[in-house]
Amino acid sequence: MSEHTQLELLEIQEPGPWRETWYNLKKNRGAMTGLGIIIFFILLALFAPLVAPQDPLDQLIEARKIPPMTDGYILGTDDLGRDMLSRLIYGARISMVIGIVSVGISLFFGLIIGVVSAYYGGILDKIVMRVIDIMLAFPYILLTIVIVSILGPSLTNAMIAIGISQVPKYARLVRASVLAEKENDYVIAERALGASNLELMFRTILPNCLSATIVQTTLGVGEAILSSAGLSFLGLGAQPPTPEWGLMIASSKEFITNAWWIVTLPGIAILLAVLGFNLFGDGLRDILDPKMRS
Amino acid sequence: MKDTTKNTNKVLLSMEHLNFSFNIQRGVVKAVRDLSLTIREGETLTLVGESGCGKSVTAHAINQLNPMPPGEVVSGSINFKGRDLLTLPMHEIEALRGTQISMIFQEPMTALNPVFTIGSQIADVFMTHQKISKQEGLKRAVHLLDLVKIPSPETRVHSYPHQLSGGMRQRAMIAMALASPEPGLMIADEPTTALDVTIQAQILDLLNDLKSKVNMSILLITHDMGVVAEMADRVAVMYAGRKVEEADVFSIFEEPRHPYTLGLLNSLPSNQKYKGARRLEAIDGTVPDLLTIGEGCPFCNRCTFALPICSKEFPGETVITEEHSVWCHNHKAVEEIIAK
Amino acid sequence: MSDTKLIEVKDLAKHFEVRAQGAREDKALLKAVDGVSLDICEGEILGIVGESGCGKSTLGKTVLRLQEKTSGQVLYRGEDLFAMGRVDMKEMTKNIQMIFQDPYSSLNPRKKVAQIIGQPLRIHNAGTPAEQITRIDHLMDEVGLNPKFKRRYPHQFSGGQRQRIGIARALALGPEFIVCDEAVSALDVSVQAQILNLLLDLQVRHGFTYMFISHDLAVVEFIATRILVMYLGRVVEIASKDELVNQHVHPYTKALFEAFPVTDPRARKGKKQIVMGDVPSPIHPPTGCHFHPRCPYAEPRCREQYPPLREISPGHSVACWVV
């Protein structure tokens, strides 16, 4: 056909959608800083046994409350003589797991509920949305506390509680973008080709709704880390002697006047981790939200 | 048939060698290249072309509605009543907008303020130019709504834009354009594209009617050759940022000299020669990417008349008659085709 | 063209519940398609014209059962589409397909061209993966796209090329009947001509039957063999193309032809008779004949009763009390 030759004149190499996102991301300084922090913490978490100078649970009664940069303890020791640096590194491991697992739980249920509810609409959608409204009306921390008290305080249960308490947020977000996306002709076109409802929901519509969800997921990991620290601080999450950042703050709060580093350093660790995810999430939003490409 | 070309009339606006570019991430889009136009008093000049040909950018360059940056006037001038619009300070441009240069858009909903009644929006235009009361302004608004044939203007004057149909909104926009003390130039950017044909006919009729009542020039931007045939006195055909042919409306339809104009007319399924035919003479290929366009004629890759020189340099003007000019290296070939 | 009826639409209606604008009633019924009957014979191109809100797109989607009906029947070779179960309906999608208006929203932006065109083959397990790839190349070639671009995303193509992708996708399973819903309306004139030619070429090669929906009278007049005019959910006139173009009798059809801009400046109509008024809202259509408030020939009877569609000459039916 004669159009072939014309088409070849238009040969301009354009990148695929993911590569374009990465290209734009590289130019966003905030997002790259955030990504750097996230990678740093993930590496720490992965290689904790190799990086940590000591066992985080090893107590040394004669070396209690040693200030940072003294006697070979880079970040000092806590009130039981455990190495702060090692505890913080192992803490990264716990926080990353909490963040990813609990967001994973929220995302899994949120996506299914949101997609199904928006796709089918009608009565089902109305019921689901009212339930979600009720869940959102509960103060978030109260909801988490209720769930933990039912399941019993432990790190695993804290993850589940945080995960469940965030499901409504994801369900709503996904529902909104599915509602917008399912009006597009390509959905009708693929239905006309004989695609099943399942295929339409999860292979056709969902991938086009992911950009908003990815942003929320990234921000959500930071939030989850913060929440788990809060729960542990209240005694509803990790139990001693687990080197969890929130728990570390809680169990050493009385030393704030005479051994500041025991309280402050885990706080800074939390701050950095959450900041990393927030910076990255905000950067992603800037890139993905103005509906991808022109 | 009256001769619609009024050579004797004064020139209202003259655009000289305008070059307008957009600097975007991937490079420089030369949206309008070396474009000269004149609009005389009381005439309708139509800019016709397909998407991306630069017709809207040209119109927006006149009242400076192009976003700048990324838009940039590279060179050229636009003289309106003796002043170069491109060198005027912004507040003087703003004063001109809506008074001597008014604009109607494809989608009037975006141009009307949704929280005010159309009456008060029209009255506001009066009140910015004359010291009159709101009451008096509304009274004149009713008169204008009547002029643009909105039924029961006394009640419609209190309507909000969303309460009107698309055709009514477009009429209200036209009324607003007429509210200025001296409506010199009306720029109509695809004014009927969003409307149904029966409504389109009403609006086109209204515009023609008003033009003879008020001494107004119209710069009409459209992609629809039907609208061109109904409205234009003179026509400038644009392709990929360049003006390729300019003539009075009869010459454009009956004796086109540019291969693109010819192709455009042949692409119309309403063309008389297709009575009973099952195939159109389409132009092959697609419009080139403005980013990668060179110095040659932008149409050369789709042109059946192309010569080797066409891809290297853009042709100069060939004057055919006083009113008819073409920019083509091989316009003689088109002439032979038409003669057959 | 044969006389075998491929599609029979019998008294089809599709109503939507919409939120009313007024405060008193909270729900209103939008009768997008209100009792439409038509037949389409094999090899025919039935053009459907009408202005926005006349229900022509809804009709197209309902005929393919892309949405459920309110009442009526759609028969494909005598089989009722709406009586079919899920498995039969999926089989049926091999025979009936659709081409959409907007080449931007009708292609999934996250799929490559090969995936888009190959999707119907995958859904219906048509052939081995290797055969599917050959088929995709063949389809792209057939619609005038170079197969070497199959790994690109839709946004890397121009509007006309995207429309070709949509056509290739509709062709993949070898359908008999294709609904073209404003298939060329979003395209530039020169590209529109290419696509019209392509659609006609394909029809000759494969013997397709089209239902060609458009608001553009010139396009329908060019491509169709028979034309149906709709106004506010109902058929007002239907006839063979030549008869409808030259001897239309319904006042609305007359108004449409009168209003349509002719591409000849010498035929400029000056003070022509233009039908006044707006298209009424399909939520509250006028009583009786929906066109009577705008109709210059309206009689008292038109206000009270909707005129039935009656045949005035073989193959030419019109719904009007006055003619």
Side-chain angles (χ1 to χ4, degrees):
Chain A
M1 294 237 162
S2 58
E3 284 84 1
H4 286 183
T5 48
Q6 305 299 341
L7 267 172
E8 267 139 12
L9 290 168
L10 285 172
E11 182 84 49
I12 311 158
Q13 268 311 318
E14 279 191 67
W18 292 117
R19 203 184 298 174
E20 191 171 331
T21 306
W22 171 239
Y23 176 79
N24 286 327
L25 200 62
K26 273 200 289 194
K27 290 193 304 188
N28 187 319
R29 208 174 287 170
M32 288 315 280
T33 315
L35 187 63
I37 297 175
I38 294 172
I39 290 174
F40 171 72
F41 275 110
I42 288 178
L43 287 180
L44 274 190
L46 283 178
F47 300 108
L50 301 178
V51 192
Q54 295 186 21
D55 187 315
L57 302 180
D58 256 6
Q59 301 181 7
L60 208 65
I61 303 300
E62 56 272 30
R64 290 157 66 208
K65 298 192 206 168
I66 294 177
M69 308 306 283
T70 326
D71 296 347
Y73 293 105
I74 298 172
L75 296 178
T77 59
D78 69 359
D79 56 313
L80 295 175
R82 294 174 292 200
D83 179 39
M84 283 299 286
L85 179 62
S86 307
R87 285 179 72 74
L88 288 175
I89 289 173
Y90 274 88
R93 192 173 241 197
I94 294 166
S95 287
M96 288 300 130
V97 169
I98 290 174
I100 289 162
V101 170
S102 58
V103 166
I105 294 171
S106 322
L107 198 60
F108 180 76
F109 291 105
L111 279 179
I112 293 178
I113 294 172
V115 171
V116 171
S117 170
Y119 183 82
Y120 286 104
I123 298 280
L124 175 81
D125 185 40
K126 275 187 185 140
I127 295 172
V128 169
M129 287 329 283
R130 288 304 84 78
V131 171
I132 279 175
D133 281 344
I134 293 169
M135 278 181 83
L136 283 173
F138 272 100
Y140 157 58
I141 194 79
L142 186 67
L143 187 67
T144 330
I145 291 172
V146 169
I147 298 171
V148 172
S149 1
I150 295 169
L151 299 175
S154 82
L155 199 56
T156 323
N157 291 345
M159 282 193 268
I160 296 172
I162 296 168
I164 292 175
S165 69
Q166 293 295 300
V167 168
K169 210 189 220 172
Y170 288 84
R172 260 199 164 179
L173 186 81
V174 173
R175 177 179 172 272
S177 43
V178 170
L179 278 181
E181 208 62 42
K182 78 167 184 175
E183 293 307 318
N184 275 318
D185 276 347
Y186 70 81
V187 181
I188 304 169
E190 294 188 14
R191 177 178 299 147
L193 297 170
S196 64
N197 286 331
L198 218 57
E199 163 140 22
L200 285 175
M201 279 190 276
F202 292 102
R203 288 184 77 159
T204 305
I205 302 177
L206 190 59
N208 284 293
C209 298
L210 283 184
S211 56
T213 320
I214 286 172
V215 173
Q216 182 55 46
T217 308
T218 319
L219 295 171
V221 176
E223 265 174 60
I225 292 172
L226 208 55
S227 307
S228 88
L231 282 181
S232 301
F233 185 87
L234 295 174
L236 296 168
Q239 299 301 314
T242 321
E244 205 276 344
W245 295 339
L247 183 65
M248 286 163 76
I249 298 178
S251 57
S252 57
K253 54 186 183 295
E254 62 263 39
F255 308 121
I256 189 144
T257 44
N258 56 20
W260 57 269
W261 60 93
I262 309 180
V263 190
T264 316
L265 290 177
I268 291 175
I270 294 172
L271 180 136
L272 269 180
V274 176
L275 183 73
F277 281 101
N278 283 0
L279 280 176
F280 186 61
D282 279 341
L284 269 184
R285 189 200 319 267
D286 291 345
I287 296 157
L288 295 175
D289 250 14
K291 260 302 169 191
M292 302 292 290
R293 306 155 291 272
S294 57
Chain B
M1 193 66 45
K2 66 176 180 191
D3 185 15
T4 43
T5 52
K6 299 165 192 149
N7 275 325
T8 49
N9 275 10
K10 262 202 316 191
V11 169
L12 180 72
L13 180 138
S14 73
M15 181 182 285
E16 307 283 347
H17 306 290
L18 180 73
N19 279 288
F20 198 98
S21 296
F22 289 95
N23 303 307
I24 62 165
Q25 203 180 44
R26 293 195 292 136
V28 180
V29 177
K30 293 176 178 169
V32 175
R33 299 181 77 177
D34 196 29
L35 180 68
S36 301
L37 294 171
T38 53
I39 304 172
R40 302 193 190 101
E41 277 182 7
E43 89 172 340
T44 302
L45 174 70
T46 306
L47 283 184
V48 66
E50 300 178 291
S51 50
C53 74
K55 55 191 192 298
S56 281
V57 176
T58 308
H60 290 176
I62 294 174
N63 53 7
Q64 300 183 14
L65 287 175
N66 283 315
M68 303 213 259
E72 183 195 355
V73 177
V74 180
S75 62
S77 64
I78 302 174
N79 285 296
F80 179 73
K81 293 188 175 171
R83 291 193 288 177
D84 184 358
L85 295 180
L86 296 178
T87 57
L88 284 185
M90 206 55 201
H91 68 268
E92 289 195 41
I93 294 290
E94 278 162 10
L96 278 176
R97 279 186 208 153
T99 61
Q100 298 184 34
I101 302 175
S102 52
M103 182 131 193
I104 55 178
F105 297 88
Q106 174 173 345
E107 184 34 79
M109 201 56 198
T110 55
L112 290 166
N113 190 333
V115 299
F116 292 108
T117 64
I118 55 165
S120 77
Q121 291 186 53
I122 297 172
D124 278 347
V125 180
F126 280 121
M127 284 153 64
T128 48
H129 309 303
Q130 287 155 284
K131 283 216 162 10
I132 56 166
S133 66
K134 184 98 186 177
Q135 216 63 34
E136 174 66 19
L138 279 177
K139 226 165 82 189
R140 294 196 193 177
V142 172
H143 172 73
L144 275 182
L145 291 183
D146 192 40
L147 191 70
V148 298
K149 296 178 187 151
I150 289 186
S152 52
E154 298 82 6
T155 49
R156 281 300 179 197
V157 82
H158 301 298
S159 300
Y160 289 90
H162 73 266
Q163 296 171 312
L164 301 177
S165 68
M168 288 295 170
R169 276 183 218 137
Q170 202 57 283
R171 285 169 195 272
M173 272 305 297
I174 296 171
M176 256 171 95
L178 295 175
S180 57
E182 30 179 345
L185 175 65
M186 179 187 279
I187 301 173
D189 188 0
E190 302 270 6
T192 57
T193 305
L195 303 175
D196 282 322
V197 270
T198 54
I199 312 298
Q200 162 170 298
Q202 295 169 10
I203 298 288
L204 294 182
D205 193 50
L206 174 70
L207 282 175
N208 269 333
D209 199 38
L210 288 175
K211 203 184 72 172
S212 52
K213 278 189 193 153
V214 190
N215 186 26
M216 184 172 69
S217 309
I218 299 178
L219 175 63
L220 178 71
I221 317 292
T222 184
H223 69 280
D224 186 335
M225 292 305 274
V227 173
V228 176
E230 294 277 337
M231 294 289 293
D233 294 323
R234 280 192 307 124
V235 183
V237 182
M238 289 186 72
Y239 185 80
R242 299 268 199 184
K243 181 170 72 172
V244 296
E245 186 163 12
E246 182 174 6
D248 60 278
V249 65
F250 302 109
S251 304
I252 285 288
F253 279 91
E254 287 157 13
E255 301 162 68
R257 284 289 180 274
H258 197 280
Y260 176 64
T261 317
L262 180 66
L264 209 51
L265 292 168
N266 281 341
S267 296
L268 295 172
S270 59
N271 196 317
Q272 286 303 315
K273 69 192 226 188
Y274 296 127
K275 282 281 179 234
R278 300 304 284 157
R279 204 176 166 78
L280 300 167
E281 290 169 27
I283 311 175
D284 277 347
T286 42
V287 181
D289 189 322
L290 289 174
L291 276 171
T292 55
I293 209 161
E295 288 307 310
C297 172
F299 190 59
C300 65
N301 65 329
R302 302 172 73 186
C303 184
T304 42
F305 303 95
L307 303 171
I309 191 174
C310 293
S311 58
K312 296 190 187 73
E313 97 187 44
F314 190 77
E317 178 176 1
T318 309
V319 178
I320 292 165
T321 66
E322 196 185 336
E323 286 289 319
H324 191 169
S325 292
V326 65
W327 286 258
C328 179
H329 290 295
N330 203 5
H331 61 92
K332 286 266 190 284
V334 184
E335 189 177 355
E336 281 162 26
I337 295 274
I338 297 288
K340 270 193 249 169
Chain C
M1 221 185 299
S2 75
D3 289 337
T4 319
K5 283 178 185 167
L6 189 66
I7 297 281
E8 289 170 82
V9 177
K10 291 184 176 165
D11 210 20
L12 187 69
K14 173 69 188 174
H15 300 173
F16 295 98
E17 262 187 11
V18 292
R19 205 170 291 169
Q21 288 197 329
R24 262 167 291 155
E25 24 174 4
D26 49 54
K27 268 179 190 157
L29 211 53
L30 187 148
K31 296 179 178 176
V33 174
D34 197 15
V36 168
S37 300
L38 56 92
D39 298 332
I40 306 178
C41 294
E42 269 181 14
E44 196 175 37
I45 304 180
L46 177 68
I48 300 202
V49 267
E51 297 177 286
S52 54
C54 76
K56 53 190 191 300
S57 279
T58 309
L59 176 66
K61 290 199 180 97
T62 319
V63 164
L64 296 184
R65 201 187 168 183
L66 289 175
Q67 52 196 17
E68 292 303 313
K69 61 171 184 180
T70 304
S71 63
Q73 275 188 316
V74 177
L75 307 182
Y76 175 85
R77 293 195 184 280
E79 281 182 87
D80 188 351
L81 288 190
F82 286 96
M84 283 182 184
R86 183 177 299 194
V87 179
D88 286 341
M89 196 57 220
K90 184 176 166 185
E91 273 307 295
M92 188 49 76
T93 57
K94 288 183 182 172
N95 301 323
I96 54 177
Q97 272 305 316
M98 182 148 182
I99 297 168
F100 293 83
Q101 165 172 16
D102 186 349
Y104 290 86
S105 83
S106 62
L107 303 178
N108 191 336
R110 293 219 176 253
K111 286 186 174 159
K112 291 177 181 164
V113 172
Q115 289 172 296
I116 291 173
I117 300 175
Q119 195 188 18
L121 305 173
R122 191 176 52 74
I123 291 172
H124 292 272
N125 290 323
T128 63
E131 284 165 0
Q132 290 186 1
I133 290 170
T134 326
R135 178 92 178 117
I136 293 168
D137 287 357
H138 176 76
L139 284 165
M140 287 185 75
D141 196 49
E142 181 156 25
V143 298
L145 290 168
N146 191 329
K148 82 176 196 195
F149 297 121
K150 66 182 168 189
R151 299 208 190 291
R152 291 199 176 180
Y153 288 92
H155 75 269
Q156 291 165 280
F157 291 86
S158 72
Q161 291 161 350
R162 285 166 176 236
Q163 201 58 304
R164 289 174 195 269
I165 299 170
I167 293 173
R169 173 176 62 185
L171 293 186
L173 296 168
E176 283 189 289
F177 176 62
I178 301 179
V179 172
C180 306
D181 185 6
E182 301 273 12
V184 297
S185 304
L187 305 173
D188 279 323
V189 212
S190 67
V191 180
Q192 174 177 305
Q194 295 171 5
I195 301 294
L196 285 174
N197 281 341
L198 175 64
L199 288 173
L200 282 171
D201 289 348
L202 292 171
Q203 195 221 8
V204 171
R205 206 175 307 151
H206 300 280
F208 292 144
T209 305
Y210 290 132
M211 179 162 155
F212 195 92
I213 299 167
S214 178
H215 69 281
D216 188 331
L217 213 49
V219 168
V220 171
E221 194 182 319
F222 170 74
I223 199 167
T225 54
R226 211 148 56 95
I227 299 179
L228 181 150
V229 183
M230 275 183 89
Y231 189 72
L232 291 179
R234 303 220 184 187
V235 180
V236 298
E237 190 164 4
I238 180 168
S240 69
K241 174 174 72 180
D242 291 333
E243 180 136 352
L244 195 107
V245 171
N246 300 316
Q247 293 165 327
H248 45 263
V249 288
H250 195 284
Y252 177 65
T253 317
K254 283 184 185 166
L256 265 187
F257 275 88
E258 192 64 36
F260 200 78
V262 181
T263 48
D264 177 6
R266 300 232 183 255
R268 209 177 273 186
K269 286 151 191 160
K271 283 282 159 224
K272 60 183 170 182
Q273 232 199 342
I274 297 171
V275 61
M276 290 312 293
D278 278 321
V279 184
S281 153
I283 299 173
H284 298 290
T287 57
C289 173
H290 294 339
F291 189 60
H292 84 260
R294 304 173 75 191
C295 180
Y297 314 102
E299 292 175 359
R301 170 162 66 152
C302 302
R303 227 160 290 153
E304 283 143 26
Q305 243 189 320
Y306 196 88
L309 195 67
R310 62 196 164 86
E311 200 163 44
I312 53 165
S313 63
H316 187 172
S317 300
V318 63
C320 181
W321 291 119
V322 185
V323 294

